């Protein structure tokens, strides 16, 4: 898949996921600003960066046995997760018109908690896939 295809796929998946979450989980009407904001993030950053990062990771740590998979998950969660979350918080802050100081404080205050949330979910998902 080329980068453009990955970005478009991520845009479409974010549109669907956000719509489902807002209607069925939050139980409310669709927040179109949130839908557009998060879908655009998937299109401009999440899709392309994930495509390149995970292809690079598969190239550097080949294999699907336990040790390579464990190593990939460790690199993903210990290095990529904090970078990704920092970019995500920065993007949301910029979209909301926050100052760089406010965004920096948000990252300092919430990054570890966000990573902990990721650590509770994604390693298990990675091992099941």
């Amino acid at each position: 898949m080329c980068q453009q295809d990955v970005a478009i796929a991520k845009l479409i998946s974010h549109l669907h996921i956000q719509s489902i979450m807002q209607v069925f989980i939050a139980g409310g009407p669709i927040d179109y600003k949130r839908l557009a904001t998060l879908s655009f993030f998937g299109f401009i950053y999440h899709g392309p960066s994930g495509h390149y990062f995970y292809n690079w990771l598969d190239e550097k740590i080949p294999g699907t046995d336990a040790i390579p998979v464990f190593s990939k998950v460790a690199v993903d969660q210990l290095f990529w997760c904090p970078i990704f979350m920092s970019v995500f918080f920065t993007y949301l802050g910029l979209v909301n018109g926050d100052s760089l100081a406010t965004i920096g404080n948000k990252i300092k205050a919430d990054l570890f908690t966000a990573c902990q949330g990721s650590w509770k979910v994604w390693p298990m998902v990675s091992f099941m896939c």
Side-chain angles (χ1 to χ4, degrees), residues 4-115:
Q4 182 181 8
D5 292 342
V6 172
I8 291 169
K10 198 52 114 170
L11 171 69
I12 292 168
S13 70
H14 275 265
L15 282 168
H16 283 95
I17 291 167
Q18 280 300 312
S19 299
I20 291 167
M21 286 177 52
Q22 289 183 32
V23 172
F24 294 108
I25 295 174
I30 295 176
D31 177 345
Y32 289 102
K33 181 181 183 238
R34 177 181 171 181
L35 179 65
T37 299
L38 295 176
S39 297
F40 189 67
F41 178 78
F43 179 69
I44 64 166
Y45 182 75
H46 193 192
S49 68
H51 171 75
Y52 285 114
F53 173 73
Y54 292 111
N55 282 339
W56 174 84
L57 192 59
D58 283 339
E59 180 182 304
K60 298 299 177 192
I61 308 173
T64 56
D65 294 334
I67 291 175
V69 170
F70 178 79
S71 300
K72 290 176 195 181
V73 170
V75 170
D76 175 47
Q77 291 300 304
L78 296 175
F79 297 103
W80 182 248
C81 178
I83 293 167
F84 178 83
M85 292 293 186
S86 295
V87 171
F88 184 65
F89 288 151
T90 301
Y91 169 79
L92 289 179
L94 292 172
V95 167
N96 289 327
D98 295 341
S99 69
L100 293 179
T102 300
I103 293 168
N105 290 335
K106 170 79 171 163
I107 292 170
K108 287 177 191 173
D110 295 345
L111 181 61
F112 186 64
T113 302
C115 288

